[in-house]
Amino acid sequence: MTRYLFTPGPVPLDGRVSSVMAEPVAGHRSREFAVLLLRVQNRLRDLLRSAEPVPLIPGSGTGAMEALAVNFTGPGSKVISVSCGVFGERFREIARRCGAEVAPFDIEPGRPCLPEDVLEACRIHPDADVLLLTHNETSTGVCNPLEEICRALPKERPLILVDAVSSLGVVPLYPEKWGVDALASCSQKGLMAPPGLGICWLSPRAREVLSKGREAPTVFFDLKAFLSGLEREEPSVPYTPPVTVIRALDAALDGILQEGSRKRFTARRRFARSLAAGMESMGLKLFVEQKEHRSPGVTAVEIPENRAEDVRKALSDIGLETAGGQGKLKGRIFRVGHFTREDWPEICLILGSLWAACREAGISLREPDLKNIREVYEREDVPCGKSL
Ligand code: PMP
């Protein structure tokens, strides 16, 4: 039976991305690999609109977050950790285990982190040297207004480290222009490549902090080692990388840039808004109330009577894989990932299946109002992002 992967990563791959993985493995000290690495660097820089280096760390998004935390925090550093969900808490936990003094600032799950929240956190902890933020909180389906947050902060501010694991490639993300200092992301979500790579980006300020700082208490995650490899005329990596995944990432980035990132961001937002309108027309409640802060890549919906797991199982029986609520949200919500090229047919597929799955679970819903959803879909075809 065909199965549809609507989980918030990993994601289904384009045929071209899968096929390049069948090519012979290149040695990572070969010229061929250096050319590939340079091309991937340049494509990521294009997407981020920045000429700064983008270290590729073997591993996953958590690995990239750990690379930032272990290089920029530690004993003696004070870290403000603003969290609105499970992944904000993970970043906090990583910093804590690195030995930093962590000052938590919690936002109720489902609500976005707003500039005033971050300003307040910085006001309470003026002595902090690092600020941890999450761009897109995948556990609740909220996309935080990172650009506005950064703009609101004063010039004298902590180093801003951002978890962009589920935002890169899905929403506009211009760290240099916005004043972010470092990003952690991954290959297997918005970039539509297979799992296997953590991706970092570092501002000149972050690199200066690194160069003046202590020796990192890590060999594998030592960002200085990754940076010095990237500075060479023939760029290199310090340790054996997942060459095949890097090749796939190259093909995936080529696809994104050929399509045009602006077009892609618009399509993701349009999909999310149409899907949300459809769910609401059935009488369901979206977990994130404020429309403008809903994620273009993942939608979290509440299911009456905490029956989300029953509905998810019924959806899986139909052939649609989705993700459950995490932590305290288990049973209350489930999540649909739409990081790739989902479009109108998938909206109909998800809504029709959801209606049937709820009926199977004994929850009766109104039928989705397709005419109204189609109107939303047509209306949302407007370029997205102030910074574009
Ligand atoms: N942060 C966010 C926002 C995420 O969505 C995820 C993965 N769902 C992670 C961190 C962890 O990424 P990984 O599973 O690739 O380690």
Side-chain angles (χ1 to χ4, degrees), residues 98-273:
C98 288
E101 177 193 344
V102 176
F105 189 95
D106 287 318
I107 290 159
E108 191 192 334
R111 183 167 90 64
C113 160
L114 297 174
E116 51 267 35
D117 296 312
V118 182
L119 280 174
E120 172 70 356
C122 292
R123 191 191 58 73
I124 303 172
H125 303 286
D127 53 339
D129 40 31
V130 171
L131 171 64
L132 305 181
L133 298 174
T134 313
H135 191 189
N136 189 85
E137 178 50 78
T138 324
S139 69
T140 64
V142 84
C143 191
N144 294 314
L146 184 61
E147 179 177 8
E148 281 81 3
I149 292 170
C150 293
R151 285 202 197 295
L153 289 171
K155 260 206 150 54
E156 288 293 309
R157 61 212 206 174
L159 207 65
I160 307 176
L161 312 184
V162 176
D163 168 351
V165 171
S166 61
S167 60
L168 179 60
V170 183
V171 290
L173 175 53
Y174 306 124
E176 186 166 337
K177 187 164 178 219
W178 297 353
V180 171
D181 290 299
L183 293 180
S185 192
C186 71
S187 51
Q188 80 276 12
K189 295 186 193 278
L191 297 182
M192 299 192 287
L197 272 175
I199 297 170
C200 293
W201 172 92
L202 302 172
S203 72
R205 180 186 174 208
R207 284 188 289 137
E208 199 185 315
V209 169
L210 265 191
S211 68
K212 290 189 182 149
R214 71 201 152 106
E215 183 181 70
T218 171
V219 172
F220 190 73
F221 287 123
D222 184 357
L223 285 174
K224 274 189 217 165
F226 283 89
L227 287 173
S228 79
L230 291 177
E231 276 159 13
R232 298 207 186 114
E233 202 180 318
E234 282 205 353
S236 68
V237 287
Y239 321 115
T240 314
V243 177
T244 307
V245 179
I246 295 177
R247 216 193 271 292
L249 176 61
D250 181 46
L253 284 165
D254 186 35
I256 290 172
L257 295 169
Q258 295 261 353
E259 175 189 351
S261 53
R262 180 186 166 101
K263 230 172 119 187
R264 174 165 165 72
F265 301 148
T266 303
R268 292 305 87 227
R269 189 183 63 182
R270 173 195 218 191
F271 182 91
R273 292 197 169 169

Side-chain angles (χ1 to χ4, degrees), residues 21-147:
M21 287 194 285
E23 289 176 19
V25 174
H28 65 287
R29 302 291 173 221
S30 65
R31 173 144 174 82
E32 184 191 346
F33 180 75
V35 170
L36 171 67
L37 185 60
L38 183 60
R39 202 166 53 229
V40 170
Q41 281 294 296
N42 287 336
R43 288 186 164 147
L44 284 166
R45 287 167 172 160
D46 258 17
L47 190 63
L48 293 164
R49 303 210 173 149
S50 161
E52 301 305 325
V54 193
L56 304 180
I57 321 276
S60 71
T62 308
M65 289 155 80
E66 188 134 350
L68 296 190
V70 77
N71 281 276
F72 292 108
T73 75
S77 70
K78 180 165 176 183
V79 173
I80 301 174
S81 154
V82 182
S83 167
C84 57
V86 166
F87 294 105
E89 281 167 28
R90 183 175 299 179
F91 213 175
R92 170 180 303 173
E93 175 63 7
I94 296 171
R96 187 189 71 76
R97 292 208 201 177
C98 288
E101 177 193 344
V102 176
F105 189 95
D106 287 318
I107 290 159
E108 191 192 334
R111 183 167 90 64
C113 160
L114 297 174
E116 51 267 35
D117 296 312
V118 182
L119 280 174
E120 172 70 356
C122 292
R123 191 191 58 73
I124 303 172
H125 303 286
D127 53 339
D129 40 31
V130 171
L131 171 64
L132 305 181
L133 298 174
T134 313
H135 191 189
N136 189 85
E137 178 50 78
T138 324
S139 69
T140 64
V142 84
C143 191
N144 294 314
L146 184 61
E147 179 177 8

